[in-house]
Structure formats: C-alpha cells, structure tokens
Amino acid sequence: MKEWWVQVGLLSVPLLAVYLHIPPPQLSPALLSWRSSGGYFTYKDQNIFYRDSTGAVGSSDVVVLLHGFPTSSYDWCKIWEGLTQRFHRVIALDFVGFGFSDKPRPHRYSIFEQASIVEGLVRHLGLRHQRINLLSHDYGDTVAQELLHRSLQPPMLWLLFVEAVRGRCRFHLGLIAQAYIAPRAISRLCSTRRHRPLHNNRFLFSILQYINQRKQHRDRWVGALMSTSVPLHLIYGPLDPVNPHPEFLQLYKKVLPMSTVSVLDDHISHYPQLEDPTGFLNAYLNFINSF
C-alpha cells in the first residue's frame, strides 16, 4: 500500500488543476454598475480602475478613498452618496492586484508602488496642487502612511484617519492615517476588505508581502504619524477582532495622543463603513466640519 501522503499528493494534483481553471464568479448587478460608472488610467503599463464622482456644488473639497485587504473600492459603496453631498469630488481606486485593476504575475507588490499609483491618479486627474482629504482603511492605511511620509514638508496638510487597521499594524503604529497624496496636496486624512478571488498561492503570497513591509519599515511609517503636525482622527469599531478593544485603543492613544477618536457602537467591528454607514459618515463629517 502506498504511503498515505503519496495518495493525497496524487489526488491533490488534479484537484488543484481543476481549481486553477475555475472561472471567476459572475459579477452581481451592483458590481457591474460600480464598474460601469468608473474608468481606468495607466500606471507603468498597468490598468488601474478608479471612480470619480462630482458632488456638492459650491465646495472645492476633494476626498480620496483607500481600500483595505483583500477587497476593493467597492468597500465605500454605502457611504459614497453621503460623501458626494459634502465633497465636490469623491475619488476611489482599486490598488494594483485588487478589484478591477490589473493583477500582474509575477510581480513584486509593495506599499511603495501603491502609494506611487495614488500619486499617479492624482496627477492624471489634474489634482496635483489641490488640497486633498484622505479616507483609508486597513491596507490602505499603510499606503496612506507612506504618502504621509513623502509629504512631511508641505506647509499645510490636514489628515484624518478613520477606523482601525489590521492587528499587525497595531504594532507598527496602531492605525495609520491617511497620508499625503501629492506635493502640497493633502487636506484631511481619514481611515476605515471583498470581491474578486485571489486565484493562486504565489499571487496571494506576493500581495501579502505588505505584512513584512510593515515590520521592515515600521520606523518610517510610524514615525510619519508621530512627526506630522496635521490633525489625525480615528474611527473605531470596538468589536473589531483584528484590533481588539480596549488594548488597541489604549495603544493608539498612547502613541498618538494628539489624535482625536470616534468610537462607534459596541457591535461595530472591522468594517464600520459597511456595518454602520450612517454612524461612520457622521463621525467622519463631524471631524471634517470641525475645521
């Protein structure tokens, strides 16, 4: 009788082959609508999906939304309309490797590249010298931190940071605020994961290198938050299993005592913008409107 592990291996090969050739699921009507209302720009031969909606008349304020892992810009769907009532332009993108953007393989995915893509989008939209508000979540928080690091010199920046970041990030800084976007371009920064499947292990492993990057560049990204003079704000769900209460909140306040904080209802977890869009939006706008 063959060793059991040989039998398992022989069975696994055809199963894996079948899995890798399963077509992606059909998009829901909501996702089809989301995609059709967006567009693409090119960054180094990569097609990057984004949405850009014009909203409030009489306002010149712009907000750029940075999504988390492993999801896409669709994470902001429940607060999109509310944001357009306050901001002149509401912009979100799918990072390379996520959502409707290209997923090159092999590819060395990095937070640095994602930050450069955000800067590229800002230039593409002609907003390089516009003050910009950042709203970020999870993976997007780290991208925002890198953007913030790049923009420590501009004269006036407003950052607002919403929501919690992944637990590993707690040890880097707690939550990361959104960061700077382009020379002299960031206004307020805020921070707060879901669709297309990640088909192969190498691809997933490559994307997940951001965890090691957080460890490797901890001083750079935590330092950016600690050194900035711009206002920071956190919107937090106490039931978040990734950033457990009360340890996470205590650490955040210790590391960033200058930041203001909004704590949502006790049942709100890691996706406050989806779980409690009204509470989340109110917390964010209260912060924005305080300046």
Side-chain angles (χ1 to χ4, degrees), residues 87 89 147 193 234 260-261:
F87 293 94
R89 291 176 74 174
L147 289 168
R193 274 166 181 210
L234 166 71
T260 54
V261 175

Side-chain angles (χ1 to χ4, degrees), residues 51-242:
R51 288 193 71 191
D52 178 8
S53 294
T54 301
V57 176
S59 171
S60 61
D61 290 349
V62 178
V63 61
V64 173
L65 315 177
L66 307 179
H67 69 82
F69 175 92
T71 53
S72 73
S73 59
Y74 190 67
D75 275 0
W76 306 107
C77 64
K78 290 188 176 182
I79 64 168
W80 194 268
E81 183 178 353
L83 290 173
T84 62
Q85 295 174 15
R86 170 59 178 79
F87 293 94
H88 175 60
R89 291 176 74 174
V90 180
I91 300 164
L93 77 162
D94 290 349
F95 292 125
V96 64
F98 296 81
F100 297 122
S101 291
D102 282 354
K103 302 167 184 63
R105 313 173 200 185
H107 187 76
R108 301 186 72 172
Y109 292 90
S110 76
I111 294 297
F112 299 101
E113 177 187 40
Q114 305 287 21
S116 294
I117 289 173
V118 176
E119 291 180 323
L121 176 60
V122 168
R123 290 192 298 270
H124 173 75
L125 296 176
L127 299 173
R128 185 174 182 181
H129 300 293
Q130 173 93 24
R131 191 182 299 273
I132 292 175
N133 301 285
L134 286 180
L135 173 59
S136 69
H137 173 241
D138 192 83
Y139 182 95
D141 289 335
T142 311
V143 177
Q145 281 180 275
E146 171 56 23
L147 289 168
L148 179 60
H149 174 82
R150 298 180 187 187
S151 67
L152 289 177
Q153 304 310 313
M156 266 188 98
L157 295 175
W158 302 83
L159 258 116
L160 69 114
F161 164 55
V162 177
E163 218 274 319
V165 292
R166 292 181 64 75
R168 295 176 185 82
C169 180
R170 303 202 298 274
F171 302 106
H172 298 48
L173 176 76
L175 334 144
I176 327 167
Q178 328 12 278
Y180 160 69
I181 289 200
R184 292 190 291 255
I186 267 206
S187 206
R188 290 158 269 225
L189 191 74
C190 184
S191 85
T192 108
R193 274 166 181 210
R194 192 170 322 268
H195 59 255
R196 305 199 40 168
L198 305 177
H199 281 299
N200 88 32
N201 290 337
R202 289 184 181 179
F203 175 60
L204 181 57
F205 178 79
S206 181
I207 290 283
L208 286 172
Q209 286 307 300
Y210 80 92
I211 296 173
N212 292 329
Q213 291 165 21
R214 281 176 169 177
K215 296 176 182 178
Q216 182 180 357
H217 302 288
R218 178 188 184 279
D219 291 344
R220 175 187 181 98
W221 293 331
V222 174
L225 288 176
M226 297 177 69
S227 301
T228 185
S229 61
V230 304
L232 301 174
H233 188 72
L234 166 71
I235 298 176
Y236 179 63
L239 199 61
D240 187 349
V242 180

